Amino acid sequence: MGPAQINFYFIFAPVLKILNIPIVQEKILILDFGSQYTQLIARRVRELNVYCEIHPYNHFTIDTKVKGVILSGSPFSVRDENALIPDLSEIKGKLPLLGVCYGAQFLAHNYGGEVLPSKHREYGRANLGYVDSSNILFKGVSNNSQVWMSHGDTIARLPDNYHIIASTADVKVGAYEVKGETTFGIQFHPEVYHSTEGMIMLKNFVVGVCGCRQNWTPDSFVETTIAALKNKLGNDKVVLGLSGGVDSSVAAVLLHRAIGKNLTCIFVDNGLLRKNEFAQVLDSYKHMGLNVIGVDAAQLFYNDLAGITEPEAKRKSIGKNFIEVFDTEAHKIQDVKWLAQGTIYPDVIESISVKGPSATIKSHHNVGGLPEKMKLKIVEPLNLLFKDEVRRVGKALEIDPLILGRHPFPGPGLAIRILGEITPERVRILQEADDIYISEMKKDGLYDKVWQAGAILLNANSVGVMGDERTYENVLALRAVASTDGMTADWVHLPYEFLAKVSNKIINHVKGINRVVYDISSKPPATIEWE
């Protein structure tokens, strides 16, 4: 499936809802029970160019636009005293329904069947030894198809009107259908890559059973979003904080196409950007025709960060000062009514604690205090897009590939890549080392093969020998991860020769570093950033 086919309809309706534009588009509803894979189900449905929304299992609305419902997996058990129990009275038997893992167990256990603990935890690859190929859910699915299991319970007995449509050697009830209904349950996870024909099954449900049309593209998202922004914002003035990254750049171009000169962008140099980034970013935006104000406020941020070592305290200090600087500059513009932000979906997911499955991992990537302080309404046209989708929208907008290809960079900048206290000297050291790392990565053709890379200055010194002298200097960690949306990430196996070259160059050229290490942690359990 090519980039132009990636479904952007998932975010189309929420954006129009924010902008008060009526919508009538069909949709798939995904009820979230806290599975680590819930967002992945949504991504797979969107890859079919079908609109879907994720809602908590206990907070959703069924309307005429809903064509079908998917129940996600969960870290919980249906046998728990506090099991997550949705109200399916408007769904089961009335709309197409697919239960995945926990969802499948719930549909069995709570409607007359029985779920018991597995004798052995069923986790990992398995093969469908039996497949009812005549069933619509398994049309085109091969015998012995590989699937991914991840559960501690098993369906021991099905209700009377349920019948098995797939099994593995160890899981008799691998999948089932409810007679007289378009209700299905599958014990495995079709949404993960390890389920090699999972997309066929999802398409069979979403298109074959639910009858959804596959008709959304980045171009249609751009066209509709710009029209919606024009309708909502009218002649109002909007101010946007640019970071130089993909998200704020795409948001800026969308808004610029919609309201032109009524958009003013502010780019604040907090002293925590990469080497020469402030000047380079300002120059790139100038060539895009955007109205951008650049503000050098590095010293203000350095002064306030002095003595602070705790990560969240750093974020709060940076956020507070950004608000002050941004507010001062914004007030120089007359009659501003809107604050625009380039918030994307992973920012929202990692910043909001919901019942059970999700916990607040870090404070928000964007600065949440701005709308209240400035008494502005907020517009976030990208807040339900994953990063790869934002890039494809940017491609449809014909934004410079050099901007679209930039690695994600944290809102607090190098402050959360410097462990311990922030000083101008420590920032300089990290900027120099990071510049060598990223430059060499680009020279060797590795930059575009990596989702995100950066250097981290540790708050630890190590003994070294340079020439005939003993040194006691900083340790630098290099990080490179592969991901599609930032929700999960694997460390990248960079060539040893490359790492050796970069390590040698950093130690020889950056005074203050005498040891370089490479981070081989994945997310989870480690986050991408160190703080």
Side-chain angles (χ1 to χ4, degrees), residues 98-129:
L98 174 64
V100 175
C101 198
Y102 179 95
Q105 293 176 359
F106 174 83
L107 290 173
H109 192 72
N110 287 65
Y111 290 88
E114 186 177 22
V115 170
L116 296 173
S118 302
K119 292 181 180 179
H120 303 285
R121 178 170 167 77
E122 294 157 349
Y123 181 84
R125 294 175 178 83
N127 295 91
L128 298 179

Side-chain angles (χ1 to χ4, degrees), residues 20 29 83 90-91 139 151 205 211 322 351 360 368 497:
N20 295 328
L29 208 61
E90 296 183 68
I91 300 174
K139 181 181 178 181
H151 57 274
F205 177 73
F322 179 83
S351 302
T360 301
E497 296 79 7

Side-chain angles (χ1 to χ4, degrees), residues 402-458:
L402 291 177
I403 293 178
L404 295 181
R406 290 190 62 178
H407 289 177
F409 190 65
L414 299 180
I416 58 171
R417 292 183 180 177
I418 296 175
L419 277 60
E421 185 177 5
I422 309 298
T423 66
E425 175 60 13
R426 299 196 79 204
V427 171
R428 182 201 64 78
I429 291 172
L430 183 56
Q431 283 178 331
E432 295 293 336
D434 179 80
D435 186 60
I436 292 172
Y437 181 35
I438 298 302
S439 296
E440 292 298 320
M441 191 170 280
K442 289 178 178 178
K443 286 180 186 176
D444 284 23
L446 295 170
Y447 185 82
D448 292 334
K449 298 177 181 178
V450 170
W451 160 265
Q452 186 173 357
I456 301 94
L457 190 65
L458 307 189

Side-chain angles (χ1 to χ4, degrees), residues 72-93:
S72 83
S74 176
F76 302 100
S77 168
V78 296
R79 300 177 298 101
D80 290 345
E81 182 180 346
N82 297 316
L84 310 182
I85 301 176
D87 178 3
L88 301 182
S89 58
E90 296 183 68
I91 300 174
K92 188 174 181 296

Side-chain angles (χ1 to χ4, degrees), residues 43-58:
R43 293 181 60 79
R44 296 294 173 258
V45 173
R46 283 179 276 167
E47 286 173 12
L48 295 169
N49 291 352
V50 174
Y51 168 45
C52 63
E53 293 177 1
I54 298 175
H55 289 271
Y57 74 95
N58 57 352

Side-chain angles (χ1 to χ4, degrees), residues 233-285:
L233 301 175
N235 292 319
D236 290 353
K237 290 186 178 180
V238 179
V239 65
L240 167 69
L242 282 175
S243 67
V246 177
D247 308 330
S248 64
S249 298
V250 172
V253 174
L254 278 171
L255 286 159
H256 181 69
R257 296 273 183 93
I259 61 174
K261 60 182 176 57
N262 282 338
L263 171 68
T264 299
C265 303
I266 299 174
F267 181 34
V268 177
D269 182 4
N270 57 13
L272 302 165
L273 304 174
R274 281 178 158 147
K275 183 179 179 181
N276 300 326
E277 187 172 27
F278 185 56
Q280 291 170 358
V281 169
L282 281 178
D283 184 63
S284 66
Y285 283 137

